[in-house]
Amino acid sequence: RAFFPFGYLTAGLLKVEWGKGDGTHVIDPLNPLVQSGAVQTDIFEMKKAEVMTLMSLYLGETGLLELVYKPFFHPLQFAREGRWNLGLPGTTSTDTNNLEYSQAAARLTGSLGFFDLGALFYYGFMSEPGFEFTTTFTGTNPIDPTHYTTTINEALTRAQLFGLEGVLAAGPLTIRTELGYWLTEDTAADAPELYNDRFVYLGGVDMMIPRTSIFLSFQVTGAYVFDYLDLSEADVDRLASFDNTANSTMMIGALDIPFANDKMKLRLSGIYHIQGKGYMIIPEYKWSIRDDLEL
């Protein structure tokens, strides 16, 4: 990291968090998530550090312009075996460790009265890989289905992300929002291996209960896939959908109760996916035994 009168430059293996959500985001495109194991409550810990350069430029008293260049791209990492496997064995990955998969991004943030606002632009790829299914006749009997071989190849969707973010502190309440539009290369919605354009959003509120140290948080995240009804059954947007709808909505809540002079904390968090009718409840206990030791 190098500092200058007008800003600072950071380069290396970085984890960068963009957006105003509380621990979760819909416009945070720079680091892929590692979802090959159990879900963690700290999404920052699930991020994969990526090679990038980040130039931060001061604008006025509160403004900041961030410019990012990433030479390589890596998609979201999912389990290929074990209990978290998505059921896609033998998938062929794409080699993205070359400059053909470079990405660039810019983010402008600042304060306006009681509001902290931001806007961003990202040019690169969607984090979720698509899948291309190829069936080849490898036998002698065209009627026998066992004489065909199906291969699955990852297909990366080139896309641009336009995002807005904001947070408002109003007394004990903090109100958060993120809005984004993914403009993908499959604008005609005719490539089943690529993702369609989509609108993503986040809205949330959190508060510290007055005269206590108890913290409550509630957020809703979602996405809407465009041209969904025109897609074939084998399209990746349909394969990734829940309840065969263009919408995907998730509710996230958390309750933090610190005690013992903040050396201990109980946390109860939960996730509910409306279309998938799936939920997860995650209880936690944390004990800061000393400054360098935590249970």
Side-chain angles (χ1 to χ4, degrees), residues 33 57 89-90 193 205 218 228 276:
L33 298 182
L57 303 171
E193 73 277 7
V205 59
F218 177 77
Y228 183 85

Side-chain angles (χ1 to χ4, degrees), residues 23-209:
T24 186
H25 306 283
V26 295
I27 55 170
D28 187 23
L30 296 178
N31 295 91
L33 298 182
V34 179
Q35 295 184 334
S36 56
V39 173
Q40 299 184 47
T41 56
D42 187 350
I43 200 167
F44 194 78
E45 293 298 321
M46 295 179 67
K47 287 187 172 187
K48 180 181 184 296
E50 294 277 88
V51 174
M52 67 181 86
T53 59
L54 169 61
M55 185 70 214
S56 301
L57 303 171
Y58 304 128
L59 298 177
E61 294 184 359
T62 63
L64 184 68
L65 175 62
E66 299 170 271
L67 303 174
V68 174
Y69 171 71
K70 287 182 59 184
F72 313 124
F73 172 79
H74 299 99
L76 178 151
Q77 298 182 12
F78 56 88
R80 299 179 183 273
E81 58 183 17
R83 65 178 299 184
W84 304 102
N85 181 23
L86 293 181
L88 294 171
T91 305
T92 303
S93 301
T94 304
D95 181 13
T96 58
N97 290 312
N98 58 73
L99 297 181
E100 179 184 351
Y101 293 92
S102 294
Q103 307 131 77
R107 180 185 185 224
L108 177 64
T109 55
S111 297
L112 183 63
F114 295 102
F115 293 89
D116 288 336
L117 302 172
L120 64 87
F121 171 75
Y122 165 79
Y123 177 80
F125 300 86
M126 295 192 69
S127 177
E128 302 91 342
F131 299 98
E132 184 174 16
F133 299 87
T134 303
T135 301
T136 307
F137 178 60
T138 57
T140 57
N141 185 0
I143 302 178
D144 189 345
T146 63
H147 287 210
Y148 291 84
T149 301
T150 299
T151 57
I152 307 173
N153 299 314
E154 278 188 358
L156 303 177
T157 305
R158 187 177 291 276
Q160 302 171 65
L161 171 63
F162 303 85
L164 297 173
E165 57 185 274
V167 62
L168 168 65
L173 299 178
T174 302
I175 302 170
R176 307 171 183 276
T177 186
E178 295 180 12
L179 303 172
Y181 186 86
W182 281 99
L183 177 63
T184 77
E185 61 180 304
D186 190 21
T187 55
D190 58 359
E193 73 277 7
L194 303 178
Y195 288 100
N196 285 19
D197 293 2
R198 68 179 59 183
F199 171 69
V200 294
Y201 62 88
L202 176 148
V205 59
D206 53 62
M207 66 175 297
M208 191 76 72
I209 297 179

